[in-house]
Amino acid sequence: ALLSVGDMSRMLGDFPRAKDSYADAITLAGQVGDKVIRADAVMGLGLSVRALGDWQRALRLFAEARRIYRKTSDRDGLAFACWAEGGAYRIGGKLRNAMDSFESSQTIFRSLGTNVDNKKGQAYCRCGLGGVSRVAGLFGDSMDYYTSANRMLSSLKDRFGVAYSHCGMGNALRMRGRYEDALRHLRRAERLYQTIGDIVSYSSTLWSLGMVHLMEGRLRWAEYY
């Protein structure tokens, strides 16, 4: 139950509450000797501190979870940990490490089969690769990764993933100077995030919309967003 409270709090952007729930779950899992729940709670704690900017602590937590996943032969968990590491490395500006982590995660997800969760895992890796590519200045690659992820996640009816990929496509187009196309994708992401209630991703999308208007010289709209 604590693990689930942590997951829901994190998805809604309440990272302090998520941290507390995951920490309590780690303590209880240790008391009863449940390695699976402990690893998942450590991952959740890592994702929460990563969201709060402490990417170095997040990497240490992900490494701890990976050790447990290896010992318990949990390849799904291992793939997820590699994906999470990619995001932490990206925040820290270590783009080559981030790319390697996302590619490793994608490889593991592919090896696990073609069920829905594994397909989603591959798609989220492509979103991660799209983000790293954009930061690295590879805007064409970024657009390709996000576009393929969007197709996969749309077919799987993953609303958060569809929003995530539309936001990524919008930002890739923004960086290539295709502002009207960028607005179209960013507005789709804006509507979906608002519907889901993800205030963190929603606010990030508003920032991107503001930047597009700023680049177009629409200063009042930029200020509004």
Side-chain angles (χ1 to χ4, degrees), residues 42-53:
V42 169
M43 278 298 305
L45 181 58
L47 289 167
S48 299
V49 300
R50 188 188 74 177
L52 292 168

Side-chain angles (χ1 to χ4, degrees), residues 69-162:
Y69 289 138
R70 282 202 181 96
K71 288 180 180 177
T72 56
S73 300
D74 185 345
R75 288 181 58 75
D76 294 274
L78 190 60
F80 183 54
C82 289
W83 173 84
E85 282 182 339
Y89 279 126
R90 177 190 163 185
I91 292 170
K94 298 182 179 296
L95 303 186
R96 183 68 261 172
N97 297 81
M99 195 75 75
D100 289 344
S101 294
F102 285 130
E103 288 175 347
S104 295
S105 178
Q106 185 172 229
T107 298
I108 298 171
F109 276 123
R110 280 176 178 161
S111 73
L112 291 172
T114 57
N115 67 33
V116 171
D117 287 340
N118 294 333
K119 287 181 179 179
K120 285 185 179 181
Q122 292 178 54
Y124 277 102
C125 286
R126 293 183 189 188
C127 285
L129 289 164
V132 176
S133 297
R134 186 180 71 249
V135 175
L138 305 172
F139 307 132
D141 290 348
S142 178
M143 187 65 186
D144 290 342
Y145 281 126
Y146 278 122
T147 301
S148 64
N150 182 265
R151 284 196 297 265
M152 294 174 70
L153 292 163
S154 295
S155 69
L156 296 169
K157 295 180 171 55
D158 185 320
R159 286 198 301 169
F160 174 82
V162 171

Side-chain angles (χ1 to χ4, degrees), residues 168-194:
M169 293 162 74
N171 279 315
L173 290 164
R174 172 173 65 86
M175 297 306 293
R176 300 179 80 178
R178 293 173 55 184
Y179 300 126
E180 292 308 311
D181 290 333
L183 284 174
R184 180 164 49 87
H185 286 288
L186 290 169
R187 283 170 181 152
R188 289 183 186 177
E190 177 193 12
R191 287 192 296 271
L192 283 168
Y193 282 137
Q194 193 172 28

